[in-house]
Amino acid sequence: METDLGLWAVPIAMLGGAIRVSTPILFVSLGETLTERSGRINLGLEGTLVFGAMSGYALAVMTGSPWLGVIAAAITGALFGLVHGLICSLPKVNDIAIGIAMMLLGMGLAFYFGKPFIQPVAPDLPAIPLGWWSDLPQVRAALQVNVLFLIGLVAAGVLWWMLKATKIGLTLRVVGDSTDAARALGLTPSLVRTLATAAGGAFAGIGGAYLSLYYPGSWNEGISSGQGLMAVALVIFARWNPIACVGAAMLFGAAGALGPALQTIGVSSGYYLFYAAPYVLTLGVLIATSSPTQALSGAPGELSINK
Amino acid sequence: MKTEHENGAIGVETLGMTMRFGGFTALDNASIAIPAGTFHALLGENGAGKSTLVKCMMGFYHATSGQMLVAGREAKIADPKAAHALGLGMVYQHFTLVPSLSAAENLVISREDAPKIIDWRKERADLGAFMERMPFAVPLDRPVRTLSAGEKQKLEILKQLYLGRRFLILDEPTSVLTPDEADEVLGHVRGLCEAGEISVLMISHKFREVTAYADDVSVLRRGRLVGQGRVADLSHQAMADMMMGGQSLAKPAARSGQRGETVLALDGAKARDRSGLKDILIERLEVAKGEIVGIAGISGNGQTELMEMLTGQRPLEAGTMTVESTPYTATRSETRTLGVRVLPEEPLHNACAPKMSVAENIALRSFDANGEGTRFWLKPSAMKALADRLVGEYKVKTASLESPIASLSGGNVQRAVLARELTGRVDLLIVANPCFGLDFTAVAEIRARIMDARNRGAAVLLISEDLDEILELADRVLVMSEGRIAYETPIAGADTATIGHYMAGHQ
Ligand SMILES: Nc1ncnc2c1ncn2[C@@H]1O[C@H](COP(=O)(O)OP(=O)(O)OP(=O)(O)O)[C@@H](O)[C@H]1O
Ligand SMILES: [Mg+2]
């Protein structure tokens, strides 16, 4: 009994899209925020995301438990981050180049090991029906909220608090902002950065598990379509602030749902242009919020793009 | 606050400290003793090895050979952490505060025993109580990036006291401060010495400060210890002689030549300041051939922004800027055809490619020039020959022409950039704080070169926080205050008290 909502269908579908699509982007951008706050860029998160999707799916198929899949994805993600971090700790190594290499490596390995898991079906991660109060099926569908999304929200809050009010958080910011200052404090910048990259990788891995275990909910080679890379761009958009990452990821997700939503209300021509909306939006916001005379506020001073 | 170890000053001694960078000996067998509770000054020319010595003491560098005694006991200092554990602390020549963190965050994280979870309410209360006891204060909540140089320096010293250091090394602590600020800060540091709380080793180029605040002095030249003594027994001349070792001081060039036609003119030039909240507005500023126009002012009154406007780093919102009556936007071709040369402040950051070599940096103006035209293929032999000649002429101390310019001491970066800027045709010379952090021989030499450029007919705009420098060099004095030119006088009628009045922002 579909009720016809007319134009209202579009915002509702976008809200649903925002919640559904944003989760992996949120996790990757939280992970990247953590890494970049330490002064390194890890472009390899796209590969980590895909490998996380594959390993999470594989373990869920083999054990029957989606949660074990998520844990496996986090561990493999951390390993990828660790490798990136260790290689970048060598002298004269460029983090961006290594990131691209790690991205290709991650995707290549995932396709190689993932072949046998394209057919089998893995159990899905559970979702909580937060739309029980409504009679409208569209609203109920939109408010099917996956547990990982909620975990992501909590993680964003925790990261924000950690950066502000814990020793680990301040240490991370010191290292990210000034290697000299960090050395003067007796810290070892490369160690801190390596650990931050590993933690960031774990986040990206979890994002991958969401892709294969919930939405779209299967493992195939085109599963990520560049979401890991977009998430890295969103970190700049979110000004390295974990809370703002939530907003940026949701906005991105909502824009991504625009095309399909227009299609459901019968816009039949040109709607596919709206599939580009999230990318155009990101580009637009980045241009609008930057200025040639003022430094990017909030950018960690040690990022290689700032030097 | 640290309370676990005892308080009170400790003495420190170095024995035969030597430091080599590759084949270059930056420090050669230096032995210095600083008894507990004394204030020791370390003098020396730029590149003499002063910073190198103290960095070895702090474990930042690992000395090639030599020993350290801390409180009479031999100490192995592997890294700064080990130095801190012994109660040694240092305020570096370059700020080591974290720019994006607030002062409070900088203080708390610098503590070795910083709590895992920071209870900001409690920390704020503790910091407040600590600040009460301190002779000076800084705003605790703003990101350090937004503090003035003076405030940053005070915060650096506060940080060391907050950490309960018992031996404090200060590397040119006053080069970024006004004389009044310097007296305030050093007066308090001296007070802490007399109270037996700390011992101090201070690197300085200013004899006045050494005489006023230090007990003993050591002098380094080319990495060697060439003199030591009690400050009370030494005149400025004696200290200068030890530093120079028989070289002679460049004489200030006499003024000659006539004031010619206007070269640089700013008309109603307006731009945003660094914070983006206030304006810089220069109603009218003219600099003519054969004159030096000096702009005095306390740092943070818009001089940095004015310099950025003149170098094209900060776009004008309104008004015009012309050189030789043609609109000027500081492009490379304009600077070349109009003969504009610039020495901005912080030259390593504003006028160098830090990781490129000394030779490459010296060639930045001319590497693509081929007579009047430009060249496509570089000519490394010519670049090397030029660098070789200028390094010799301007006495730039560098391990080699291939070393990255960032490895030079502060004063030598200044010399290298000045060498580049004063070579070739100079019609308009714009300089900001040209003698910042330089030893007195270098100061005399650089001032003589600026005067010489003027005498040869260049128009010179000199922006400086050092009023003595302006009074020595300028033909006309302008005072900048709150982003405006507040006062103007020819040097003949210049009166220090009036200028100071306007500098302080009174009308
Ligand atoms: N890391 C390094 N590698 C190579 N050479 C170095 C390094 N650090 C310093 N030097 C060289 O050692 C010499 C001494 O430098 P140092 O910084 O100790 O001088 P300084 O006495 O502090 O001078 P200033 O008054 O200009 O600060 C300089 O010639 C410098 O080029
Ligand atoms: Mg020095």
Side-chain angles (χ1 to χ4, degrees):
Chain A
M1 40 157 250
E2 283 280 295
T3 325
D4 188 13
L5 295 174
L7 281 179
W8 273 106
V10 175
I12 290 176
M14 283 172 73
L15 174 68
I19 294 173
R20 225 171 24 240
V21 180
S22 66
T23 309
I25 296 173
L26 174 60
F27 272 92
V28 178
S29 55
L30 287 179
E32 184 69 10
T33 298
L34 203 58
T35 307
E36 291 193 13
R37 275 298 187 105
S38 81
R40 279 218 189 114
I41 296 178
N42 183 2
L43 280 186
L45 290 189
E46 169 77 5
T48 313
L49 185 76
V50 174
F51 197 87
M54 189 286 293
S55 54
Y57 197 77
L59 218 82
V61 168
M62 291 190 289
T63 63
S65 158
W67 289 110
L68 282 179
V70 172
I71 292 170
I75 292 173
T76 54
L79 284 177
F80 269 92
L82 198 62
V83 172
H84 181 279
L86 288 176
I87 297 178
C88 290
S89 301
L90 300 172
K92 305 214 174 191
V93 171
N94 178 285
D95 51 352
I96 293 184
I98 298 302
I100 293 172
M102 291 298 295
M103 172 168 92
L104 297 175
L105 178 73
M107 298 201 316
L109 287 178
F111 298 164
Y112 177 76
F113 290 114
K115 279 275 184 303
F117 296 100
I118 294 178
Q119 288 299 328
V121 178
D124 271 1
L125 283 166
I128 303 171
L130 289 182
W132 48 267
W133 46 270
S134 170
D135 298 332
L136 297 172
Q138 288 95 329
V139 174
R140 287 181 174 217
L143 290 180
Q144 279 285 334
V145 176
N146 189 276
V147 181
L148 273 187
F149 176 73
L150 300 175
I151 293 178
L153 292 187
V154 173
V158 170
L159 280 184
W160 178 82
W161 170 81
M162 184 192 92
L163 288 171
K164 223 171 113 70
T166 68
K167 186 172 182 176
I168 298 180
L170 282 191
T171 304
L172 202 69
R173 286 166 60 198
V174 170
V175 170
D177 211 38
S178 163
T179 305
D180 283 345
R183 290 239 174 78
L185 288 183
L187 298 169
T188 317
S190 58
L191 177 69
V192 175
R193 291 187 182 133
T194 302
L195 294 178
T197 315
F203 272 93
I206 296 175
Y210 178 94
L211 284 177
S212 60
L213 293 175
Y214 185 72
Y215 183 83
S218 63
W219 159 246
N220 61 66
E221 298 185 352
I223 193 163
S224 142
S225 62
Q227 291 181 49
L229 281 174
M230 283 316 288
V232 174
L234 285 185
V235 172
I236 304 179
F237 176 16
R239 294 289 184 268
W240 296 270
N241 176 345
I243 300 281
C245 281
V246 175
M250 298 268 294
L251 197 64
F252 189 85
L258 188 59
L262 286 176
Q263 207 181 349
T264 56
I265 62 161
V267 177
S268 57
S269 66
Y271 67 86
Y272 44 82
L273 266 184
F274 288 95
Y275 280 103
Y279 307 97
V280 175
L281 183 81
T282 310
L283 210 57
V285 175
L286 278 181
I287 293 170
T289 55
S290 54
S291 140
T293 49
Q294 265 164 328
L296 219 49
S297 63
E302 286 294 327
L303 283 188
S304 47
I305 49 166
N306 284 341
K307 288 208 198 152
Chain B
M1 303 240 33
K2 294 222 98 159
T3 42
E4 59 262 35
H5 60 62
E6 310 137 67
N7 291 315
I10 47 172
V12 172
E13 208 171 317
T14 69
L15 297 173
M17 208 60 114
T18 300
M19 180 78 206
R20 293 200 187 88
F21 295 106
F24 177 77
T25 308
L27 189 65
D28 193 358
N29 199 20
S31 304
I32 293 180
I34 303 109
T38 61
F39 194 129
H40 197 105
L42 185 57
L43 286 170
E45 295 178 291
N46 295 121
K50 306 178 297 293
S51 297
T52 306
L53 171 65
V54 295
K55 282 182 184 165
C56 288
M57 295 173 74
M58 287 301 295
F60 224 88
Y61 291 157
H62 290 207
T64 317
S65 65
Q67 285 177 330
M68 285 263 299
L69 298 183
V70 176
R73 254 172 283 159
E74 189 180 338
K76 283 260 173 296
I77 297 181
D79 53 28
K81 236 186 190 144
H84 297 160
L86 289 167
L88 273 55
M90 171 161 172
V91 174
Y92 294 89
Q93 194 169 5
H94 309 283
F95 293 121
T96 55
L97 295 165
V98 185
S100 69
L101 265 57
S102 71
E105 287 173 328
N106 265 290
L107 288 176
V108 171
I109 192 60
S110 64
R111 243 163 54 192
E112 238 123 88
D113 65 342
K116 290 228 154 46
I117 290 174
I118 299 161
D119 176 358
W120 276 114
R121 195 153 344 131
K122 173 178 167 299
E123 295 297 340
R124 301 310 311 242
D126 289 355
L127 280 172
F130 167 73
M131 285 297 192
E132 296 268 286
R133 285 187 285 119
M134 285 299 121
F136 44 88
V138 288
L140 285 175
D141 288 316
R142 284 175 17 215
V144 164
R145 181 170 10 94
T146 65
L147 299 182
S148 74
E151 285 172 322
K152 282 187 204 163
Q153 193 61 287
K154 285 187 199 162
L155 181 58
E156 290 274 14
I157 293 174
L158 281 176
K159 184 170 103 183
Q160 298 302 324
L161 298 173
Y162 175 75
L163 295 173
R165 304 285 194 236
R166 309 160 71 191
F167 179 84
L168 194 55
I169 298 172
L170 306 171
D171 193 349
E172 296 186 38
T174 59
S175 57
V176 289
L177 305 185
T178 60
D180 286 346
E181 281 177 320
D183 283 330
E184 186 196 341
V185 171
L186 291 182
H188 293 311
V189 172
R190 167 92 214 165
L192 291 164
C193 275
E194 278 166 7
E197 304 247 349
I198 51 173
S199 331
V200 172
L201 173 62
M202 174 179 80
I203 298 178
S204 179
H205 288 302
K206 297 176 185 158
F207 293 140
R208 186 186 70 80
E209 289 171 0
V210 173
T211 317
Y213 301 103
D215 300 304
D216 306 292
V217 58
S218 296
V219 182
L220 284 179
R221 186 168 71 244
R222 308 213 172 148
R224 287 222 175 77
L225 188 66
V226 291
Q228 264 180 330
R230 292 198 59 76
V231 170
D233 304 336
L234 291 168
S235 65
H236 287 184
Q237 191 54 48
M239 290 188 234
D241 288 344
M242 284 192 228
M243 266 176 78
M244 310 229 325
Q247 310 164 55
S248 61
L249 206 57
K251 289 215 175 51
R255 262 166 230 274
S256 63
Q258 291 278 308
R259 184 169 188 265
E261 68 263 34
T262 302
V263 178
L264 171 72
L266 266 69
D267 243 314
K270 189 171 139 190
R272 281 275 124 132
D273 82 341
R274 285 220 159 159
S275 65
L277 302 175
K278 283 182 287 182
D279 287 329
I280 307 296
L281 177 61
I282 308 295
E283 290 291 356
R284 179 84 192 149
L285 171 66
E286 277 184 23
V287 187
K289 278 199 165 84
E291 75 164 346
I292 299 181
V293 173
I295 298 192
I298 296 167
S299 71
N301 273 288
Q303 297 96 319
T304 309
E305 287 88 350
L306 173 60
M307 192 65 193
E308 287 175 348
M309 289 156 75
L310 292 166
T311 53
Q313 285 168 291
R314 184 168 292 272
L316 294 191
E317 285 186 344
T320 59
M321 178 158 71
T322 58
V323 174
E324 316 255 9
S325 314
T326 51
Y328 178 72
T329 51
T331 62
R332 193 169 166 82
S333 65
E334 282 171 359
T335 53
R336 188 167 286 174
T337 49
L338 296 167
V340 181
R341 295 306 178 88
V342 188
L343 174 69
E345 54 183 9
E346 288 185 64
L348 186 62
H349 173 72
N350 284 314
C352 292
K355 287 179 185 159
M356 288 173 84
S357 73
V358 174
E360 284 163 333
N361 271 289
I362 286 183
L364 282 187
R365 284 273 180 213
S366 56
F367 69 94
D368 58 347
N370 186 7
E372 286 298 294
T374 58
R375 62 166 70 243
F376 180 77
W377 299 107
L378 300 183
K379 204 168 163 196
S381 60
M383 281 164 60
K384 187 170 175 310
L386 173 75
D388 216 17
R389 178 166 67 82
L390 292 184
V391 161
E393 246 175 62
Y394 283 78
K395 305 195 194 80
V396 182
K397 292 205 186 74
T398 167
S400 88
L401 292 181
E402 307 313 318
S403 321
I405 197 155
S407 77
L408 265 56
S409 78
N412 281 305
V413 173
Q414 198 99 346
R415 285 174 193 241
V417 174
L418 204 70
R420 174 181 85 205
E421 297 299 312
L422 287 180
T423 303
R425 200 180 105 221
V426 185
D427 292 331
L428 171 61
L429 178 64
I430 303 170
V431 287
N433 295 316
C435 299
F436 221 85
L438 294 187
D439 65 64
F440 73 105
T441 37
V443 168
E445 187 185 319
I446 281 176
R447 289 184 186 164
R449 287 187 190 272
I450 292 173
M451 185 58 85
D452 186 49
R454 166 202 180 273
N455 291 345
R456 278 184 285 135
V460 181
L461 181 66
L462 166 70
I463 303 176
S464 177
E465 282 155 33
D466 181 349
L467 189 54
D468 293 336
E469 176 166 78
I470 296 218
L471 294 177
E472 178 184 331
L473 292 177
D475 296 282
R476 264 191 306 138
V477 182
L478 274 53
V479 176
M480 199 160 177
S481 168
E482 312 221 334
R484 309 280 188 275
I485 304 283
Y487 178 66
E488 176 175 348
T489 171
I491 193 72
D495 163 44
T496 325
T498 320
I499 293 177
H501 196 64
Y502 281 99
M503 280 169 68
H506 303 292
Q507 293 305 311

